[in-house]
Amino acid sequence: TGLQQYENNCYIFLQTRRWGRFFVLKRLIISDTHIGSKFYKGEKLCEFLSCMEYDQLIANGDIVEFLKIPTFTNRVVEILKAINYNKEIIYVIGNHDKAFGNFAGKEIFGVKFVDEYEFEEKGRKFRIEHGDKYEKGIIHYRTVMKIVSIFQDFLERYFDVDVSTWFNNLRINKRKIKRLWDIIDLNNDVDVLI
């Protein structure tokens, strides 16, 4: 139980009970898996989803990589099979999967698409939203981002270099604390922001 590092920049908070080989959760929140990109962690994601039992799955944006040119393999099929579709599934739309933008507010094949998701638990109000709405600059210019992303995808596939992780680490180290206070001010109506 507690905060555990799962992969490079991915942390999960597990408040669970173990049942056989499964961890049992009320809510499982995943984010930024970028399925279809060159360096997404498909095997680890499939393994992770396969050992989790949950009542609700919340996919918090950038689950599918539509900003670059996605490549879908048999691993994607394994990931889709690892999801329990008998449970409630919420899909918070992120900036890399804006292709789902027209589905916001709709339920398709049991998946509820939303721009943000709120729930209450033990008297506390939680809000889950993708962080791109707090970004400034070219990220909000879709055509420019598409061109940059296709170029980045070419570099990653041709030179086999993980440009995304390098850039994100550079960006996070520069702006993490400065932006945090702005985000807190904009969400003072909730107890927990994810």
Side-chain angles (χ1 to χ4, degrees):
T1 301
L3 187 65
Q4 300 175 7
Q5 186 168 6
Y6 183 70
E7 188 61 33
N8 293 340
N9 291 325
C10 176
Y11 291 87
I12 55 173
F13 183 78
L14 293 178
Q15 188 171 9
T16 65
R17 59 189 187 281
R18 195 162 176 111
W19 183 67
R21 65 180 264 264
F22 294 101
F23 288 98
V24 182
L25 302 163
K26 186 164 191 171
R27 288 180 185 86
L28 174 61
I29 304 170
I30 60 173
S31 179
D32 293 280
T33 57
H34 296 275
I35 295 171
S37 65
K38 166 90 170 142
F39 292 101
Y40 88 99
K41 310 286 191 251
E43 186 176 341
K44 297 230 183 246
L45 178 59
C46 191
E47 176 187 318
F48 179 75
L49 287 171
S50 296
C51 72
M52 293 292 171
E53 183 64 39
Y54 47 84
D55 295 328
Q56 184 183 54
L57 173 63
I58 302 170
N60 187 16
D62 293 358
I63 302 303
V64 181
E65 178 58 71
F66 286 128
L67 203 53
K68 298 178 188 174
I69 302 168
T71 302
F72 300 116
T73 63
N74 288 332
R75 177 70 65 199
V76 175
V77 174
E78 292 174 24
I79 292 168
L80 292 173
K81 286 181 178 178
I83 296 171
N84 185 344
Y85 293 96
N86 294 318
K87 305 296 182 173
E88 182 179 20
I89 301 173
I90 307 293
Y91 197 112
V92 179
I93 301 165
N95 57 312
H96 286 248
D97 42 26
K98 282 282 190 213
F100 293 142
N102 289 335
F103 299 157
K106 297 177 183 162
E107 184 173 330
I108 300 169
F109 299 113
V111 178
K112 297 174 188 166
F113 291 88
V114 296
D115 290 319
E116 67 180 39
Y117 180 67
E118 292 184 0
F119 64 91
E120 284 197 31
E121 182 74 31
K122 296 182 180 177
R124 297 179 78 190
K125 186 175 178 182
F126 292 75
R127 177 177 297 138
I128 300 172
E129 57 189 11
H130 197 69
D132 65 293
K133 70 190 292 182
Y134 301 106
E135 293 288 332
K136 296 179 180 174
I138 69 168
I139 192 169
H140 297 289
Y141 299 98
R142 298 294 300 157
T143 304
V144 173
M145 282 306 298
K146 192 72 167 166
I147 293 167
V148 168
S149 295
I150 289 171
F151 180 68
Q152 176 186 341
D153 189 59
F154 168 77
L155 291 175
E156 289 180 344
R157 293 181 193 277
Y158 188 76
F159 294 107
D160 200 33
V161 62
D162 190 351
V163 176
S164 294
T165 300
W166 171 81
F167 182 72
N168 282 334
N169 287 338
L170 178 71
R171 204 173 59 166
I172 286 170
N173 290 336
K174 282 186 174 180
R175 297 188 299 161
K176 188 188 314 186
I177 301 301
K178 179 182 170 190
R179 304 289 313 190
L180 182 61
W181 298 113
D182 296 335
I183 294 169
I184 291 171
D185 285 343
L186 291 168
N187 291 283
N188 60 11
D189 61 326
V190 294
D191 298 308
V192 180
L193 176 68
I194 300 172

